[in-house]
Amino acid sequence: MMGWLMLALVALIAALVLVLLRYPRKLWTVPATAIMLGAAGYAWQGSPALPGHPVAAGAEKNLVNQEMVDLRDAMFGKYGTYAWSYGNLADGMLRLGDRERAAKVWQGAVRQVPGDVALWTGFGAALAEYDGNQISPAAQFAFDKALAIGPNHPGPRFFYGLALVRAGRYAEAKPWWEKALALTPEKASYRDQLAARLMVLDMFLADQARQQGMQGEPQPAPGNGPTVTPKP
């Protein structure tokens, strides 16, 4: 109840401000719409009928990786695109620490627009995160749909590779990032980011191979000097 009272107070103050500023009555629908949208969002995300309660200090919040959000927007487009609209809504759920609802936002998106490569990519990434950074059959299906819809788009390949990296499957991720970079236009704003990530992955794999090679080398027996491998 307190939430609704506060919302009503905000609406009253807004009306008084409009009167004092002599804001044209013909344009009152603009701020009114903003207030109504805020009310709808509060009714959906909050619990207006319940009293307020303190949030636990250890609650996990703000799961959004802003760098990945910016890269997603650069690859799939921002204002006016389905990816940007649904992506912002899903990011809002992540900022509340709710991976399940974030995945459901993407699920609703692909139901509404089943032919959009960005939405299937976002759905696959969200499912992988929800499943503990593991690529479940459902996440694999979503990525496969994105790859089928956008065979020449770098986005699905990059984010599928990212899911593989997060799952610890580094060697499997490399060819996907290589293909994503190959499909990226030379003048694309995000090309350098893809190249940098691929370079880091290459360095990691090379270091990993070097360490494995060192572990596989024969060790000299104590007190007997170096071990000589016999010639065939």
Side-chain angles (χ1 to χ4, degrees), residues 168 170-171 202-215:
Y170 306 106
D202 280 336
M203 294 171 60
F204 173 81
L205 290 174
D207 184 65
Q208 193 176 55
R210 184 168 54 254
Q211 291 183 10
Q212 290 175 352
M214 292 174 62
Q215 292 174 0

Short mmCIF file of all heavy atoms in Angstrom, two decimals, residues 168 170-171 202-215:
data_model
loop_
_atom_site.label_atom_id
_atom_site.label_comp_id
_atom_site.label_asym_id
_atom_site.label_seq_id
_atom_site.Cartn_x
_atom_site.Cartn_y
_atom_site.Cartn_z
N GLY A 168 34.60 -23.59 -19.88
CA GLY A 168 35.93 -24.17 -19.76
C GLY A 168 36.36 -24.97 -20.97
O GLY A 168 37.38 -25.66 -20.93
N TYR A 170 37.89 -24.29 -23.88
CA TYR A 170 38.64 -23.25 -24.58
C TYR A 170 39.03 -23.64 -26.00
O TYR A 170 38.89 -22.84 -26.94
CB TYR A 170 39.88 -22.89 -23.78
CG TYR A 170 39.58 -22.50 -22.35
CD1 TYR A 170 39.88 -23.38 -21.30
CD2 TYR A 170 38.99 -21.28 -22.05
CE1 TYR A 170 39.59 -23.02 -19.98
CE2 TYR A 170 38.71 -20.92 -20.74
CZ TYR A 170 39.01 -21.81 -19.71
OH TYR A 170 38.72 -21.46 -18.42
N ALA A 171 39.54 -24.83 -26.17
CA ALA A 171 39.98 -25.26 -27.49
C ALA A 171 38.82 -25.31 -28.47
O ALA A 171 38.98 -25.00 -29.66
CB ALA A 171 40.67 -26.62 -27.40
N ASP A 202 44.26 -17.43 -27.83
CA ASP A 202 45.41 -18.11 -28.44
C ASP A 202 46.58 -18.20 -27.47
O ASP A 202 47.24 -19.24 -27.35
CB ASP A 202 45.85 -17.37 -29.71
CG ASP A 202 44.97 -17.70 -30.91
OD1 ASP A 202 44.36 -18.79 -30.90
OD2 ASP A 202 44.91 -16.89 -31.84
N MET A 203 46.86 -17.11 -26.78
CA MET A 203 47.95 -17.09 -25.81
C MET A 203 47.68 -18.07 -24.67
O MET A 203 48.60 -18.79 -24.21
CB MET A 203 48.14 -15.68 -25.26
CG MET A 203 48.63 -14.67 -26.30
SD MET A 203 48.61 -12.95 -25.68
CE MET A 203 49.73 -13.07 -24.30
N PHE A 204 46.44 -18.12 -24.23
CA PHE A 204 46.10 -19.04 -23.15
C PHE A 204 46.27 -20.49 -23.59
O PHE A 204 46.83 -21.32 -22.86
CB PHE A 204 44.65 -18.80 -22.70
CG PHE A 204 44.16 -19.80 -21.70
CD1 PHE A 204 44.49 -19.67 -20.35
CD2 PHE A 204 43.37 -20.88 -22.08
CE1 PHE A 204 44.03 -20.60 -19.42
CE2 PHE A 204 42.93 -21.81 -21.16
CZ PHE A 204 43.26 -21.66 -19.82
N LEU A 205 45.80 -20.81 -24.79
CA LEU A 205 45.92 -22.18 -25.29
C LEU A 205 47.37 -22.56 -25.50
O LEU A 205 47.78 -23.71 -25.24
CB LEU A 205 45.13 -22.33 -26.59
CG LEU A 205 43.60 -22.27 -26.46
CD1 LEU A 205 42.94 -22.27 -27.84
CD2 LEU A 205 43.08 -23.42 -25.61
N ALA A 206 48.18 -21.62 -26.00
CA ALA A 206 49.60 -21.90 -26.20
C ALA A 206 50.29 -22.16 -24.87
O ALA A 206 51.11 -23.08 -24.75
CB ALA A 206 50.26 -20.73 -26.92
N ASP A 207 49.96 -21.36 -23.86
CA ASP A 207 50.56 -21.55 -22.54
C ASP A 207 50.10 -22.87 -21.94
O ASP A 207 50.89 -23.59 -21.31
CB ASP A 207 50.16 -20.40 -21.62
CG ASP A 207 50.82 -20.49 -20.26
OD1 ASP A 207 52.05 -20.38 -20.19
OD2 ASP A 207 50.09 -20.67 -19.27
N GLN A 208 48.83 -23.19 -22.16
CA GLN A 208 48.30 -24.47 -21.65
C GLN A 208 49.01 -25.65 -22.30
O GLN A 208 49.38 -26.61 -21.62
CB GLN A 208 46.80 -24.53 -21.93
CG GLN A 208 46.06 -25.64 -21.20
CD GLN A 208 44.56 -25.58 -21.46
OE1 GLN A 208 44.12 -25.58 -22.61
NE2 GLN A 208 43.78 -25.49 -20.40
N ALA A 209 49.25 -25.56 -23.62
CA ALA A 209 49.95 -26.64 -24.33
C ALA A 209 51.39 -26.75 -23.84
O ALA A 209 51.94 -27.85 -23.71
CB ALA A 209 49.89 -26.38 -25.82
N ARG A 210 52.03 -25.62 -23.58
CA ARG A 210 53.41 -25.62 -23.12
C ARG A 210 53.51 -26.28 -21.73
O ARG A 210 54.43 -27.07 -21.48
CB ARG A 210 53.95 -24.20 -23.07
CG ARG A 210 55.41 -24.12 -22.68
CD ARG A 210 55.99 -22.73 -22.94
NE ARG A 210 55.21 -21.68 -22.30
CZ ARG A 210 54.40 -20.83 -22.93
NH1 ARG A 210 54.24 -20.91 -24.23
NH2 ARG A 210 53.75 -19.89 -22.26
N GLN A 211 52.57 -25.97 -20.86
CA GLN A 211 52.59 -26.57 -19.54
C GLN A 211 52.34 -28.07 -19.60
O GLN A 211 52.98 -28.85 -18.88
CB GLN A 211 51.54 -25.90 -18.65
CG GLN A 211 51.86 -24.46 -18.29
CD GLN A 211 50.83 -23.85 -17.36
OE1 GLN A 211 49.98 -24.56 -16.83
NE2 GLN A 211 50.93 -22.55 -17.14
N GLN A 212 51.43 -28.48 -20.46
CA GLN A 212 51.17 -29.91 -20.61
C GLN A 212 52.39 -30.63 -21.18
O GLN A 212 52.69 -31.76 -20.80
CB GLN A 212 49.95 -30.13 -21.52
CG GLN A 212 48.64 -29.69 -20.89
CD GLN A 212 47.46 -29.79 -21.84
OE1 GLN A 212 47.64 -30.04 -23.04
NE2 GLN A 212 46.27 -29.61 -21.31
N GLY A 213 53.10 -29.95 -22.10
CA GLY A 213 54.31 -30.55 -22.66
C GLY A 213 55.39 -30.71 -21.62
O GLY A 213 56.10 -31.72 -21.59
N MET A 214 55.51 -29.73 -20.72
CA MET A 214 56.51 -29.81 -19.66
C MET A 214 56.18 -30.94 -18.69
O MET A 214 57.07 -31.64 -18.20
CB MET A 214 56.60 -28.48 -18.92
CG MET A 214 57.17 -27.34 -19.75
SD MET A 214 57.11 -25.75 -18.90
CE MET A 214 58.16 -26.09 -17.47
N GLN A 215 54.92 -31.12 -18.42
CA GLN A 215 54.51 -32.18 -17.52
C GLN A 215 54.76 -33.56 -18.12
O GLN A 215 55.00 -34.53 -17.41
CB GLN A 215 53.03 -32.04 -17.16
CG GLN A 215 52.74 -30.82 -16.30
CD GLN A 215 51.25 -30.61 -16.07
OE1 GLN A 215 50.43 -31.40 -16.55
NE2 GLN A 215 50.90 -29.57 -15.34
#
